[in-house]
Each structure stands twice: as C-alpha cells, then as structure tokens.
Amino acid sequence: MEAGVWTERMLATLEEGVKGGKWFSLVDKVYAERTLRLAWERVRRNHGSAGVDRQSIEAFAARAERNLAELARDLREGTYRPQSVRRVTIPKPGRPEKRPLGIPTVKDRVVQTALKLVLEPIWEVSFAEQSYGFRPGRGCKDALRRVVELMEGGATWVVEVDLKSYFDSIPHSWLMREVEKRVADGRVLELLEAYLSQKVMEGLEQWEPEAGTPQGAVISPLLANIYLDPLDQAMMEQGYQMVRYADDMVVLCRSREEADMVLELLGEWVGAHGLTLHPEKTRIVDASQRGGFDFLGYHFERGMRWPSERSVKQFRAAIRIKTKRTNGHSLATIVGEVNPIIRGWFEYFKHSQRTTFRGPDGWVRMRLRSILRRRNHGEGRGRGADHQRWPNAYFAKQGLFTMTTAFALASQSR
C-alpha cells in the first residue's frame, strides 16, 4: 500500500479487522489530492496510447495540475463519468490470432489507478497464498518456484485448468456481490459498475459489454482476482495445492484419484459461478512421464523444465521483426536491438535444462548471417561456408549476447 493513501487509523483497522467486515467512506480517499497524484505518476510511467478522446500522456502532462483538480472536483461532486474504451486488436507473438485490447482514456486510467490504490489493500490482507498474478511483491517466478517445490515433493499428477475467455465472461452482478462483501461505499460501488458497463468503441461501432472486465483497464486484474478468491479459499480449505496466476492455474496432486476429485470440484465451482472450463485445454497429466504440461511459459516434464513451444515461437517472432534480410542498419545497430530481447528471454528461462539455449543461439546467428549473405549478393538463409566467413566469434566480437555462454557463467557462479 502507498503511504499517504491509507491513514494510520485505516491501517490499524486493516490489521484488527473492520467492524462488520465492510468498509464505508472510501471515495474521499480516491479523490484525495495525494492519491490522484500518485495515480497519475503511475499512469505516466506506464506510458500507453490515447483513448477515444485522443488525449495523449504528453497532452495530459502539459496541464496535469488542472486535469487532476478537475478529476478531484468531478469525483467529489459525483459528476465524473468514464468515457468509452477504445478497442484495438494486437498480434499475439508467435500465434496467428490477435488479442483484443481496450484502451481507456488517460483520465479514466488515473481514476482507476486511484481506485486500485484505495481498494487493493482491503483484499490483499486475506487473498490466498497460492494466488500470484497481479499482486504486489509477487510475480511469475514466485509461482514457478512453488510449482517446482511441489513437484520435487512428489506432487506430479497435475490438473491443468483453463477458464474459457475468463476476463470476458465474469458475470457483472456476481462480481459486484463479491465486492459488496467488503465495500459499502455507494459512490465507490457506482464507480466500479460504471467501469464494468463502459461502452466499447471499435472504429465506428460502439456497444456495451454484458459480462467481463474490460481488458486493458487498470482495475481489471484486481477485480479478476477478487472473483476467483473464493475458489482459492475453497481449494485451500480442501487441502489441495493450487498455483494460480490470474486465470492461469494448475493443481498439483499426489495421485490420479486426487486429481480426479480436484477436477470434479473445479467443474462444480466454475459452473456455479457463470464460468466455463475449456474442454480441450483442461486436463490431467502425469508430469513424471513423457508429455508434461505448460505453465507460465515453461514446459515441465519428467523432472525437467524448458521453454514451451509457444514461448520459443514468441521469441522467434520478436527476433524476426529486428532481423529481416532487407534491414538496412549496420550489424552493430541490429545486434544492439536484438540483445535486450535475448537477455530478457534468457533471464526468464535461465533455470531451464542445460541444452535449452544452443538451438536459439544458433538460430539468431543464422538470421544475422542471412542479412550478411544478402549484402554480399547471396540468396536464402545463412548456411554452409557462411559459418566460416562469419564464425560465432565474429558475432561475439560484435557484442551479440549469447545465452549458452551466459548459462555457463551462471552455472559456475551457482
């Protein structure tokens, strides 16, 4: 929680438990000057595109004091209304389909961030331990470490859970009932309902969603976690080991019988809460055998782990953009552009098997050799004699980050 957003009295109440379990009089914390300033700083750091009003981050910043004062006044007087969300589709790296993304206006992002700053601590004190997604101080690596810990402890029967179109299918009325269990401030509840019913604009078309939380909205991850928290609690009470990152989740069991019971419980809970298990992507696997399962970009199988096929495709898609054969930049410039991609990928997957990085390293060098081959009036991929003309040491001299070398150094350090 941010200092200054929550008062000392509120912090004490958070520790001791609020009377009746519900919080009143929260909206004044949302429109407080310090809260809106903190919210604006976060929105500015995240950059992002303009919404339907076409106001950019730079334009908002040019008159930030006036904009924040207007937002505070509108929230205080109850006249604030969120604008429509601009919808765009963005490519999924390594996949043919595209993902819809909603872009709220900068003003709406500021208010949503302020709302999140005020509401998040109320749920954080009681969110289940096995929930890792979009939570302060937690991330993918924490979830992955827990999976490894459970598997090393003998829980190798895994229930892979896929909620079909989760963010688009959360029932609004049921979600609000969950929120109302903790919040009784009518003005805050009205704000949340206004965001859930925000109209979506794509091109010249406009419509109001009947379910789901708006993808791209700052408040959506928190609302999505709130809706699944009862499932987390139910699994924990039953003694099942679930690891959840937003709507990605696995349950690690010690036997096939336990996995069958978990799948039955999940099906009952999901059906009773207006959601749907994906029939093809929800399954039980024995991770001690060939086949394994994917979770948060990693593939787990027979006590080993390495990047999933999708992760490799995403990596290659990102590198391809920077290494087209028609790229007119110098090799040093191209290497400077691909290095951050390679380093980031290695940093995430550096706990993979030793043989993981030889193939991707060779593939990147092949892309670079293909550029050099074309510049020397050759055709096709870099191959054959190109390996002697431009050996691995040549690219190392150009500063190309090599994952195999980095892995060896990290292993020596460990």
Side-chain angles (χ1 to χ4, degrees):
M1 61 189 68
E2 289 284 352
V5 175
W6 276 63
T7 65
E8 291 296 325
R9 182 180 176 185
M10 289 175 70
L11 291 173
T13 304
L14 191 66
E15 291 292 327
E16 298 165 6
V18 65
K19 186 177 180 180
K22 291 189 178 185
W23 289 82
F24 296 81
S25 303
L26 291 172
V27 73
D28 59 317
K29 311 300 184 298
V30 176
Y31 62 68
E33 179 181 340
R34 177 165 178 78
T35 308
L36 289 176
R37 285 184 181 278
L38 283 169
W40 158 237
E41 287 303 320
R42 289 195 178 189
V43 171
R44 181 163 62 176
R45 285 200 304 268
N46 289 334
H47 304 291
S49 303
V52 294
D53 63 353
R54 300 192 178 186
Q55 184 181 47
S56 64
I57 292 288
E58 293 75 20
F60 189 98
R63 41 172 293 183
E65 293 299 322
R66 183 174 173 181
N67 285 330
L68 294 176
E70 289 176 356
L71 279 177
R73 182 199 64 210
D74 293 344
L75 288 165
R76 186 170 54 251
E77 296 176 358
T79 58
Y80 166 80
R81 297 291 182 274
Q83 294 179 265
S84 298
V85 173
R86 182 169 70 90
R87 189 182 189 186
V88 297
T89 54
I90 58 175
K92 291 184 177 181
R95 301 173 69 183
E97 62 264 32
K98 294 187 176 183
R99 180 167 68 93
L101 181 67
I103 303 175
T105 64
V106 177
K107 287 184 178 181
D108 289 344
R109 298 206 293 270
V110 171
V111 177
Q112 286 187 31
T113 304
L115 198 56
K116 182 173 180 282
L117 288 171
V118 173
L119 293 179
E120 191 169 53
I122 295 174
W123 273 274
E124 268 299 315
V125 292
S126 61
F127 270 157
E129 185 66 23
Q130 66 262 38
S131 169
Y132 294 89
F134 305 109
R135 293 185 58 191
R138 289 173 160 241
C140 290
K141 291 191 175 181
D142 300 302
L144 290 165
R145 275 192 288 268
R146 180 58 177 159
V147 168
V148 172
E149 178 185 354
L150 289 168
M151 293 186 69
E152 290 178 346
T156 59
W157 281 94
V158 180
V159 183
E160 281 189 274
V161 186
D162 188 282
L163 296 176
K164 192 173 182 179
S165 303
Y166 173 60
F167 281 87
D168 292 331
S169 58
I170 302 174
H172 289 171
S173 59
W174 295 4
L175 172 59
M176 289 306 300
R177 280 202 294 270
E178 284 300 320
V179 175
E180 288 165 9
K181 291 177 181 178
R182 304 282 185 90
V183 174
D185 186 319
R187 297 271 296 280
V188 167
L189 295 174
E190 286 174 7
L191 274 176
L192 291 174
E193 288 178 334
Y195 287 127
L196 291 176
S197 59
Q198 257 181 304
K199 290 185 177 179
V200 178
M201 181 175 289
E202 185 172 13
L204 298 176
E205 294 185 22
Q206 184 170 271
W207 69 92
E208 184 176 312
E210 297 179 356
T213 58
Q215 293 195 38
V218 178
I219 200 70
S220 286
L222 174 60
L223 294 177
N225 274 336
I226 289 172
Y227 197 67
L228 285 181
D229 185 58
L231 173 61
D232 297 336
Q233 304 294 346
M235 297 297 287
M236 190 167 59
E237 289 169 7
Q238 294 284 339
Y240 295 129
Q241 299 291 346
M242 183 166 77
V243 181
R244 183 174 70 81
Y245 191 95
D247 60 334
D248 287 330
M249 61 192 91
V250 289
V251 187
L252 293 102
C253 307
R254 293 182 172 273
S255 67
R256 174 71 197 223
E257 291 73 25
E258 182 184 353
D260 287 333
M261 288 188 288
V262 165
L263 187 56
E264 183 179 355
L265 174 62
L266 284 167
E268 292 174 356
W269 192 94
V270 166
H273 289 77
L275 304 174
T276 306
L277 290 177
H278 197 294
E280 297 173 1
K281 298 180 181 179
T282 300
R283 61 188 186 126
I284 295 174
V285 299
D286 181 0
S288 67
Q289 304 299 314
R290 186 178 297 277
F293 68 98
D294 295 345
F295 184 60
L296 298 181
Y298 270 87
H299 179 78
F300 294 86
E301 180 182 323
R302 293 170 291 166
M304 301 177 286
R305 58 190 184 273
W306 58 81
S308 66
E309 287 185 17
R310 181 185 295 182
S311 298
V312 174
K313 287 180 180 178
Q314 290 173 341
F315 171 74
R316 290 192 171 196
I319 294 293
R320 278 193 183 96
I321 294 172
K322 303 293 184 181
T323 58
K324 294 179 180 179
R325 293 175 201 172
T326 55
N327 192 316
H329 296 297
S330 68
L331 184 62
T333 299
I334 298 171
V335 167
E337 290 179 344
V338 299
N339 270 348
I341 300 172
I342 303 171
R343 280 197 184 95
W345 201 76
F346 172 77
E347 184 61 31
Y348 189 78
F349 291 108
K350 65 183 179 182
H351 299 290
S352 299
Q353 298 306 115
R354 179 179 297 275
T355 57
T356 296
F357 304 106
R358 191 179 304 132
D361 275 341
W363 184 83
V364 170
R365 287 191 292 266
M366 179 277 292
R367 296 286 300 181
L368 297 177
R369 287 188 181 105
S370 298
I371 294 173
L372 296 174
R373 182 184 179 90
R374 180 183 175 88
R375 291 178 182 178
N376 282 266
H377 310 294
E379 295 182 356
R381 289 182 169 192
R383 60 187 186 275
D386 295 334
H387 288 264
Q388 285 73 48
R389 182 183 289 183
W390 302 293
N392 295 355
Y394 173 81
F395 296 107
K397 192 176 292 185
Q398 296 292 322
L400 181 67
F401 181 83
T402 307
M403 291 183 281
T404 307
T405 303
F407 184 86
L409 292 172
S411 297
Q412 291 174 11
S413 176
R414 286 195 293 270

